[in-house]
Amino acid sequence: MLPRFLLFPMLVGVVMLQSCSRNPVTGKREIILMSTDQEIALGQQSHPSIVASMGLYEDKKLQSFISEKGMAMAKISHRPELPYQFNIIDSPVVNAFAVPGGYVYFTRGIMAHFNNEAEFAGVLGHEIGHVTARHSARQQTSQILGTVGLIAGMVLSPKLAQFGEQAMQGLQLLMLSYSRAHESESDKIGVEYSSKIGYDAHQMANFFGTIKRISDNAGQSIPNIMSTHPDPGDRFNNVHQMAKEYQAAQPKNYAVNRDSYLQMINGIVYGEDPKQGFVENNVFYHPELRFQFPTPAGWQTQNSPAQFVMAPKDGKAEMILMLAGTNLDSAALNIQKQFNLKVLESARRTINGNQAIVLVSQQQPQQQQQGQPQQQQTPANTVQVASWLIRYNGMVYAIHGVTTADIFTTLFPTFKNTAENFRMLTDPDKLNRKPERIFVKTVPRDGSFKDIMTTLGMPANRIEELGVVNSMKADDQVKRGTLIKVIGK
């Protein structure tokens, strides 16, 4: 039998020989460890969890539009045979993404920020480009081969093994550069695809200006070397140049279609949708499910259809609300199995008229591989959990407080105050809270963007926000009769 340290490189070589294929976009031969069937299967497996965690935005007119344009673009793409699907996610975040096999997603947040069909088409082409250029498969292959190579190196070199953790961190930085290369490649594909179905790709570049303003206003800009996406300012310039070159080589009238797009998104939900739950004055309200509970002061929150998460800024604890079934006893057993918990305390309670079970548990260490020593637990690394399972309106809601055992006693009163103030929501103001929406208005007179917004009743403190939504600056001049977006209820 060959020594193990010789077997690793040979196995890698066999995999490389068997997995070399031609990339449909670049035409280059590459090592790909994921077949087309596997890509499609991965997309099919991912779609239900994406929908469950984020939800779909119900708008037949808008859904019909993205499906029509998506299929038109899929037909002229490098992989027209894939079973493409195009969906709008019910999220206020400005984002679009794709998963292998042809599944492409736009948030309602990004749809609200587009100002014409051409901007949408450019981003659509970019996302389809990720699929046709097999970026997920290529990224996975790079990571697998990089990891295998590193493991082989560790087997061959005990000195390298001492620095395995640092080497893995370095490998992750290397993967970031692959991701940036893929983003730039998708920008080029986006210019090509959107142009081929007749849209002006310069508008795609302009949308990167919107992305940059959103990033700058949120204070989320990070050093380019640590970003998986190229800098929006660089992309603005690069995409404009690519669009200029493409249109010079293929001269014709390229569409923008501003008014038709704005009329189509008239009334789209903007920002958080209160019916999915919202926080106000340190209380979480859920109008649809008709309950409320307090959130710890100063803690950050994140809401999704699947769960509601609360956490302090130091990251030393977390509280999670999630559905746990319909039966209290079954829910308690399922949670123990799901999170590998050892129950230390269990009690039945009544919380504001609702039957409940309260558990205090510790997460058990993962089973070690045979021959390896059992990981020793200390108060500093043992995860301790307080769980309140509350049966309300036929469902069991689980509120978990999670932290390490050494500070569990200190944080338990915070966990308890949140969970044991879970109660019915009866306030009509909260129950009937309406979401903000984008409404499209006709500019009544010539003037600056700021003046027109004021004339249309928009508050001064939202001029920059409205400027981002409209892709305009406060001093930009707007002509009478132009369509423009405002925010209202």
Side-chain angles (χ1 to χ4, degrees):
M1 178 180 289
L2 286 172
R4 185 181 175 191
F5 66 85
L6 289 176
L7 196 58
F8 265 107
M10 290 184 66
L11 285 173
V12 174
V14 170
V15 169
M16 290 171 69
L17 285 171
Q18 292 181 343
S19 305
C20 198
S21 62
R22 193 173 300 279
N23 185 281
V25 172
T26 65
K28 297 178 181 178
R29 297 194 68 81
E30 298 173 326
I31 301 163
I32 300 291
L33 300 182
M34 185 188 294
S35 69
T36 297
D37 287 344
Q38 288 173 323
E39 285 184 78
I40 293 171
L42 182 57
Q44 291 172 339
Q45 292 166 9
S46 301
H47 180 69
S49 62
I50 291 170
V51 173
S53 63
M54 304 181 75
L56 293 178
Y57 183 65
E58 301 295 337
D59 185 319
K60 291 182 180 179
K61 181 172 60 176
L62 209 52
Q63 179 60 49
S64 176
F65 169 76
I66 73 162
S67 295
E68 177 190 340
K69 298 302 178 183
M71 294 310 298
M73 193 173 285
K75 288 179 181 178
I76 57 88
S77 76
H78 295 85
R79 301 177 74 187
E81 75 284 356
L82 292 176
Y84 289 93
Q85 285 194 28
F86 304 90
N87 295 278
I88 303 174
I89 296 296
D90 193 3
S91 168
V93 176
V94 179
N95 198 16
F97 59 96
V99 296
Y103 289 77
V104 180
Y105 303 87
F106 288 81
T107 63
R108 62 171 168 82
I110 199 170
M111 299 302 291
H113 280 77
F114 289 135
N115 279 284
N116 55 60
E117 290 184 20
E119 287 183 347
F120 162 78
V123 176
L124 174 67
H126 173 99
E127 297 305 332
I128 291 180
H130 280 306
V131 175
T132 59
R134 308 192 73 188
H135 287 158
S136 294
R138 289 157 69 185
Q139 184 82 347
Q140 183 198 59
T141 300
S142 298
Q143 290 171 343
I144 289 173
L145 290 181
T147 303
V148 169
L150 185 65
I151 292 170
M154 289 180 182
V155 172
L156 291 167
S157 172
K159 184 176 180 180
L160 178 59
Q162 297 173 12
F163 300 95
E165 184 176 348
Q166 290 88 339
M168 288 296 288
Q169 291 171 354
L171 184 68
Q172 291 303 315
L173 280 176
L174 181 61
M175 291 306 111
L176 288 177
S177 67
Y178 288 125
S179 293
R180 288 196 299 274
H182 292 169
E183 292 297 331
S184 296
E185 186 174 47
S186 276
D187 286 347
K188 183 177 181 180
I189 298 169
V191 168
E192 177 186 347
Y193 287 178
S194 62
S195 298
K196 279 187 174 180
I197 67 168
Y199 286 104
D200 182 0
H202 284 291
Q203 298 300 315
M204 175 186 174
N206 290 341
F207 189 70
F208 287 127
T210 299
I211 295 297
K212 181 167 177 58
R213 283 178 73 179
I214 292 171
S215 176
D216 291 346
N217 290 344
Q220 293 176 339
S221 56
I222 58 178
N224 194 38
I225 188 62
M226 291 297 291
S227 172
T228 57
H229 286 62
D231 178 78
D234 293 341
R235 297 173 88 178
F236 176 88
N237 295 324
N238 292 341
V239 172
H240 266 308
Q241 183 60 34
M242 287 188 286
K244 181 180 178 181
E245 292 171 0
Y246 188 97
Q247 292 181 11
Q250 306 282 341
K252 69 174 185 178
N253 292 325
Y254 290 93
V256 173
N257 296 354
R258 184 176 188 274
D259 286 3
S260 60
Y261 183 81
L262 293 180
Q263 289 164 349
M264 188 163 45
I265 64 164
N266 187 25
I268 192 171
V269 172
Y270 174 80
E272 298 289 348
D273 189 345
K275 74 176 183 181
Q276 297 175 351
F278 63 96
V279 176
E280 188 172 273
N281 297 324
N282 293 326
V283 179
F284 178 72
Y285 300 99
H286 203 299
E288 271 201 341
L289 301 177
R290 293 178 172 265
F291 64 73
Q292 67 179 73
F293 56 81
T295 62
W299 283 32
Q300 298 172 319
T301 64
Q302 186 177 58
N303 190 26
S304 76
Q307 62 185 22
F308 177 69
V309 181
M310 301 157 276
K313 292 180 180 179
D314 63 14
K316 293 183 178 180
E318 186 176 63
M319 291 197 74
I320 308 167
L321 166 78
M322 59 178 64
L323 278 172
T326 58
N327 181 276
L328 276 173
D329 294 310
S330 297
L333 288 173
N334 290 338
I335 283 169
Q336 293 171 51
K337 292 178 182 178
Q338 182 181 358
F339 300 112
N340 196 29
L341 300 177
K342 177 183 178 181
V343 176
L344 307 178
E345 301 175 27
S346 176
R348 290 186 176 273
R349 299 282 305 278
T350 299
I351 295 177
N352 295 312
N354 303 300
Q355 293 182 350
I357 294 177
V358 182
L359 306 173
V360 175
S361 313
Q362 282 188 347
Q363 191 169 45
Q364 300 180 90
Q366 297 293 324
Q367 290 186 349
Q368 304 295 303
Q369 293 182 6
Q370 191 172 4
Q372 291 185 347
Q374 185 81 3
Q375 181 183 354
Q376 291 193 350
Q377 288 188 337
T378 68
N381 66 16
T382 301
V383 175
Q384 194 145 327
V385 185
S387 302
W388 283 262
L389 309 177
I390 305 168
R391 194 167 193 280
Y392 175 75
N393 282 349
M395 301 299 298
V396 176
Y397 295 91
I399 300 179
H400 303 291
V402 185
T403 188
T404 49
D406 56 333
I407 58 174
F408 180 82
T409 302
T410 302
L411 285 167
F412 183 81
T414 300
F415 298 157
K416 181 178 180 180
N417 180 65
T418 293
E420 298 197 358
N421 278 291
F422 179 100
R423 64 183 69 242
M424 180 187 295
L425 173 58
T426 59
D427 184 347
D429 174 61
K430 308 300 188 296
L431 288 170
N432 299 315
R433 188 69 59 89
K434 302 297 183 186
E436 289 193 319
R437 296 179 182 272
I438 294 290
F439 292 109
V440 177
K441 303 290 185 182
T442 301
V443 173
R445 59 177 177 82
D446 292 354
S448 70
F449 175 76
K450 181 178 180 180
D451 289 342
I452 297 303
M453 286 291 108
T454 302
T455 300
L456 293 173
M458 295 295 98
N461 63 355
R462 301 191 75 171
I463 296 299
E464 172 58 20
E465 179 185 7
L466 287 157
V468 172
V469 167
N470 282 281
S471 191
M472 294 182 183
K473 297 288 183 66
D475 294 333
D476 286 352
Q477 295 300 302
V478 187
K479 292 186 176 295
R480 180 177 179 271
T482 303
L483 295 186
I484 204 164
K485 301 175 193 170
V486 297
I487 300 170
K489 291 185 178 181

